[in-house]
Amino acid sequence: MRPLAVIGNVNVDLILGPADPWPTPGTEIMVDYDELRVGGSAGNSALTWEGLGIDFQIAANVGTDQFGEWLHKEFGERGKRWPIAPTGTTLSVGITHPNGERTFFTTRGHLGALSWPEVLDMLDVRQLRGGYILLCGSFLTDTLVADYDALFDWADANDIRIALDTGWPIGGWTEANRAATRKWLSRCHCALFNEVETTRLANSVEPADAAHKLKALMPDNAIVVVKCGPDGALAIGSDNELVKTDAPPVFVADTIGAGDVFNAAFLAALAREMPLQQCIAAGVHVASKAISTVPRRYDSHDLDTMPENAL
């Protein structure tokens, strides 16, 4: 299996809900559920790999407060070398709604302080050669983004393939954000976006058409993956052939971080050099299981025992 690593945003998620209707300003409502947990795209993907029993490296940072100490402890040995930014830890409060949608309120916190020299110091490049790095939280990690060219150069020099999931831009898909993302994609081996992100980025209505447009921006052997939620996923590989997989019908308990879970399972299958069809099926299968279980389940045998209808 090829080695795996993730770089980017690890923060704290406080999930509350369901809230219905949305409260009037100045009032208070009671909700039935709350959970404090590791969050952020990098954090969710790392927990998935851990649950699947897969070895990996992670480069992230934390703030100076008790939330930062808690995140350090949650990741054990992997979190010991994380730098501490001189600010509070980023906190995201997610309010769930009865229809499965959610609203987030997020503080800027520590994420913007993560730097490329810090990331480089946390990674064992010798063990990563020939592997994959998941790069996420691009619109939250400002200091690191300023050195993305250096990161891409380093990855190329060490035969490391970058998989990119930027997340949704805080200011939306402005032309500046599109231009920046297109530039990053030109250096990446894999794009991992959801359906709305893909179509907005490519200025295209159809996900498949949008995926082809993104593929044209990337190296010849690149892969574009579009995560379509309850409709499964599609992907375009180095041969430019489109492959799809459906999602199974499940009782949805919590969709927060589903795309991050997909990313981790997809890359785990890719690192095992499975065919692209099986890779997106693995992502859909593991993500579907995660969103339908409380607490979330990630079983080490999931990549080996996918049901036939997941392929």
Side-chain angles (χ1 to χ4, degrees):
M1 181 171 178
R2 294 177 180 270
L4 292 167
V6 60
I7 300 171
N9 52 323
V10 177
N11 55 262
V12 174
D13 276 357
L14 175 59
I15 313 301
L16 300 170
D20 184 37
W22 191 258
T24 303
T27 65
E28 179 179 7
I29 64 170
M30 300 294 291
V31 295
D32 295 329
Y33 175 78
D34 71 273
E35 183 181 359
L36 187 71
R37 66 190 188 197
V38 173
S41 294
N44 293 329
S45 295
L47 290 181
T48 304
W49 281 336
E50 193 170 84
L52 293 173
I54 293 169
D55 190 30
F56 65 94
Q57 297 183 43
I58 179 170
N61 66 338
V62 295
T64 58
D65 50 18
Q66 290 182 327
F67 280 145
E69 293 179 11
W70 178 68
L71 287 174
H72 263 146
K73 292 177 182 177
E74 286 294 298
F75 282 89
E77 288 296 321
R78 289 190 175 94
K80 281 188 175 180
R81 298 182 63 190
W82 291 359
I84 301 174
T87 186
T89 299
T90 300
L91 172 66
S92 187
V93 179
I95 309 299
T96 63
H97 305 282
N99 64 356
E101 291 298 324
R102 65 264 194 201
T103 303
F104 287 100
F105 299 86
T106 303
T107 63
R108 292 198 175 273
H110 70 284
L111 297 177
L114 181 64
S115 71
W116 169 235
E118 290 173 334
V119 168
L120 192 57
D121 186 57
M122 285 181 271
L123 298 176
D124 186 335
V125 65
R126 290 176 299 177
Q127 292 186 7
L128 279 176
R129 288 190 178 115
Y132 295 91
I133 286 179
L134 173 58
L135 182 61
C136 44
S138 302
F139 295 108
L140 302 171
T141 53
D142 300 340
T143 302
L144 178 60
V145 165
D147 277 333
Y148 263 15
D149 284 339
L151 189 161
F152 293 138
D153 289 343
W154 169 84
D156 288 343
N158 289 283
D159 187 29
I160 298 170
R161 299 174 180 183
I162 300 293
L164 180 68
D165 183 354
T166 62
W168 189 266
I170 299 300
W173 285 109
T174 63
E175 189 50 47
N177 286 334
R178 286 192 181 96
T181 305
R182 293 182 191 119
K183 179 183 176 183
W184 301 334
L185 286 175
S186 72
R187 306 290 304 274
C188 292
H189 175 74
C190 183
L192 293 161
F193 294 105
N194 66 34
E195 183 175 354
V196 179
E197 291 165 346
T198 305
T199 54
R200 294 287 179 86
L201 176 57
N203 278 323
S204 181
V205 175
E206 293 297 327
D209 180 58
H212 278 291
K213 288 183 177 180
L214 296 189
K215 178 75 168 62
L217 304 173
M218 301 173 69
D220 290 341
N221 64 344
I223 298 167
V224 174
V225 176
V226 183
K227 297 169 283 186
C228 302
D231 293 324
L234 61 86
I236 300 172
S238 57
D239 57 4
N240 285 319
E241 291 296 320
L242 180 72
V243 296
K244 298 180 179 180
T245 191
D246 295 326
V250 296
F251 169 78
V252 177
D254 178 8
T255 62
I256 294 173
D260 308 322
V261 175
F262 176 100
N263 291 349
F266 171 85
L267 288 173
L270 193 65
R272 290 187 178 188
E273 301 185 339
M274 292 181 178
L276 185 57
Q277 178 77 59
Q278 288 183 255
C279 291
I280 60 171
V284 168
H285 171 60
V286 175
S288 296
K289 188 173 189 176
I291 67 173
S292 60
T293 52
V294 179
R296 287 191 166 175
R297 285 179 51 198
Y298 314 96
D299 296 330
S300 58
H301 61 271
D302 273 346
L303 296 182
D304 302 314
T305 58
M306 287 186 295
E308 288 297 325
N309 59 7
L311 299 177

